[in-house]
Amino acid sequence: MSQDPESREEAIARLQKSASDLETRTAPPLSHEMAGQAAASQAWKIIADLFGGVFVGLAIGFGIDHFAGTSPVGIIGGVLLGFAISVWMAWRTAQRLMAEANKHGEPKSVPFDDEDEGA
């Protein structure tokens, strides 16, 4: 008796699972230096989001003031709106980073070094 050939979707799902398993097994472990650089780059991204939102809001508010003739209202509104959007973007990035960190499990703690105290 011959076996039923698997459907195309089942074959694709099986191959994707095999590929992700292979990638997990062959991925090099992150060194402390590489992990620190990744964390620093994410921190700089959050800071850039915060400043970028405020400056974009400032520019949009200035443009509205220039064309509409509402001198301080556009700039103030633009800065406030830009700040709110930048805080939301930073919060979203932080939530994504926390979800990735929780996916990898709790970090291992470093043992306490008693030799440095009391010197």
Side-chain angles (χ1 to χ4, degrees), residues 3-42:
Q3 295 180 354
D4 293 330
E6 63 183 341
S7 70
R8 179 182 169 128
E9 290 80 19
E10 291 172 346
I12 290 173
R14 185 178 48 84
L15 285 174
Q16 286 177 341
K17 182 176 181 342
S18 297
S20 66
D21 290 344
L22 177 64
E23 184 179 329
T24 302
R25 286 192 310 249
T26 59
L30 275 176
S31 68
H32 291 295
E33 181 179 329
M34 289 171 54
Q37 289 175 351
S41 70
Q42 292 299 326

Side-chain angles (χ1 to χ4, degrees):
M1 204 183 232
S2 66
Q3 295 180 354
D4 293 330
E6 63 183 341
S7 70
R8 179 182 169 128
E9 290 80 19
E10 291 172 346
I12 290 173
R14 185 178 48 84
L15 285 174
Q16 286 177 341
K17 182 176 181 342
S18 297
S20 66
D21 290 344
L22 177 64
E23 184 179 329
T24 302
R25 286 192 310 249
T26 59
L30 275 176
S31 68
H32 291 295
E33 181 179 329
M34 289 171 54
Q37 289 175 351
S41 70
Q42 292 299 326
W44 282 112
K45 182 189 180 314
I46 291 174
I47 291 171
D49 284 345
L50 287 171
F51 282 114
V54 171
F55 289 134
V56 168
L58 179 69
I60 290 172
F62 181 77
I64 289 172
D65 279 345
H66 180 71
F67 291 113
T70 58
S71 183
V73 176
I75 290 178
I76 294 170
V79 168
L80 291 175
L81 183 64
F83 178 71
I85 290 172
S86 65
V87 167
W88 176 75
M89 288 173 41
W91 176 80
R92 188 180 62 175
T93 301
Q95 291 296 318
R96 182 182 50 82
L97 291 174
M98 288 302 297
E100 287 178 14
N102 288 336
K103 187 169 47 173
H104 296 296
E106 196 163 320
K108 297 176 184 170
S109 65
V110 178
F112 186 69
D113 189 12
D114 289 333
E115 293 176 8
D116 291 339
E117 288 196 21

